[in-house]
């Protein structure tokens, strides 16, 4: 019988309350039972008494094989991590006086990043007197949107110091 304290689950002699609501090894309700009696029932079956709901009044305890239970929980956690997809943020920088060919080239890269499932931050950098004509940057960002297939704009074009940027999301997969 394990005597390990992990993730706030108290087992066997770590349970210090007078009585518990007991669930037996088959999942049947045994009602409110003194903790000492619940521990004896678990020992008779060569299993552990595990506190599964410590905030309940009285706490809910279950008779089960703690090692097997912990293994199953770790397995579920590993499986859920496998299914997660981390979104990466890619950034494409441009200038307000970008040529048409360069805009096509960068738009293709943006398209590829979005197809891979990444978010893309499209940034237009202003130098010197270009800062007086930020509307040219807005025109460039709108031109980028025209060249892409319909993607969700997460953050509309906005000025951030010397930069104007917008963020694009990939298409939602169905």
């Amino acid at each position: 019988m394990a005597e390990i304290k992990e993730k706030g689950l108290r087992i066997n002699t770590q349970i210090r309350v007078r009585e518990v609501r007991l669930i037996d090894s088959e999942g049947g309700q045994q009602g409110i039972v003194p903790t000492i009696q619940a521990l004896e029932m678990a020992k008779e079956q060569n299993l552990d008494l595990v506190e599964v709901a410590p905030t309940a009044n009285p706490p809910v305890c279950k008779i089960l094989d703690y090692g097997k239970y912990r293994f199953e929980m770790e397995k579920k956690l590993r499986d859920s991590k496998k299914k997660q997809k981390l979104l990466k943020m890619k950034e494409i920088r441009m200038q307000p006086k970008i040529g048409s060919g360069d805009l096509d080239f960068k738009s293709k890269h943006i398209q590829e990043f979005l197809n891979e499932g990444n978010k893309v931050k499209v940034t237009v950098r202003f130098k010197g007197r270009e800062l007086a004509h930020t509307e040219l940057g807005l025109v460039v960002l709108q031109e980028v949107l025209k060249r892409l297939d319909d993607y969700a704009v997460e953050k509309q074009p906005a000025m951030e110091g010397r930069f104007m940027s917008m963020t694009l999301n990939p298409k939602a997969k169905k």
Side-chain angles (χ1 to χ4, degrees), residues 10 12 17 30 40 54-55 58-59 61-62 68 74 78 88-89 93 97-98 112 122 126-127 131 143 150:
R10 291 187 290 206
N12 297 332
V17 292
Q30 295 296 317
E40 288 171 5
T55 56
C61 292
K62 201 171 190 178
K68 187 175 179 181
E74 288 172 2
R78 279 194 306 270
K88 290 183 183 153
M89 176 74 88
R93 286 192 172 179
K97 55 187 180 208
I98 190 168
E112 287 172 17
V122 185
F126 297 97
K127 290 182 182 175
L131 212 49
E143 189 62 35
D150 48 303

Side-chain angles (χ1 to χ4, degrees), residues 61-76:
C61 292
K62 201 171 190 178
I63 297 177
L64 47 83
D65 182 357
Y66 184 67
K68 187 175 179 181
Y69 174 75
R70 204 175 72 207
F71 174 76
E72 291 294 327
M73 296 314 258
E74 288 172 2
K75 190 174 175 183
K76 281 182 187 177

Side-chain angles (χ1 to χ4, degrees), residues 96 126 130-140 142 164:
F126 297 97
E130 292 174 349
L131 212 49
H133 299 287
T134 55
E135 70 276 357
L136 295 175
L138 189 61
V139 169
V140 169
Q142 288 171 342
M164 178 179 280

Side-chain angles (χ1 to χ4, degrees), residues 24-42:
D24 62 17
S25 55
E26 284 84 44
Q29 295 277 344
Q30 295 296 317
I32 297 173
V33 177
T35 307
I36 297 166
Q37 185 183 341
L39 273 168
E40 288 171 5
M41 291 171 69

